[in-house]
């Protein structure tokens, strides 16, 4: 499955700090739990990538007449 492939899979995403000073992305869906821990610097890099992707998606949406 690629980034542009649609899916009917549903999952929950939780984001928060751990007691060990890490940032955890916790994904849960269909009997699967995926905890992913990042140090704060990595988490900030991910946040920047999310912001950039959101800007690109917004531009593509606006260009498409939506």
């Amino acid at each position: 499955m690629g980034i542009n492939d649609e899916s009917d899979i549903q999952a929950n995403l939780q984001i928060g700090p751990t007691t060990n000073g890490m940032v955890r992305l916790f994904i849960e869906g269909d009997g699967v739990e995926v905890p992913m821990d990042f140090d704060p610097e990595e988490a900030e890099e991910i946040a920047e990538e999310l912001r950039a992707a959101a800007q690109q998606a917004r531009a593509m949406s606006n260009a498409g007449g939506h």
Side-chain angles (χ1 to χ4, degrees), residues 13-18 20-27 34-47 49-50:
L13 172 65
Q14 297 177 24
I15 303 170
T18 70
N20 294 330
M22 302 292 279
V23 176
R24 177 167 289 173
L25 299 181
F26 185 78
I27 302 166
V34 181
M36 300 187 314
D37 292 346
F38 303 92
D39 64 43
E41 291 77 19
E42 289 175 308
E44 288 174 342
E45 289 176 15
I46 292 167
E49 290 179 29
L50 281 168

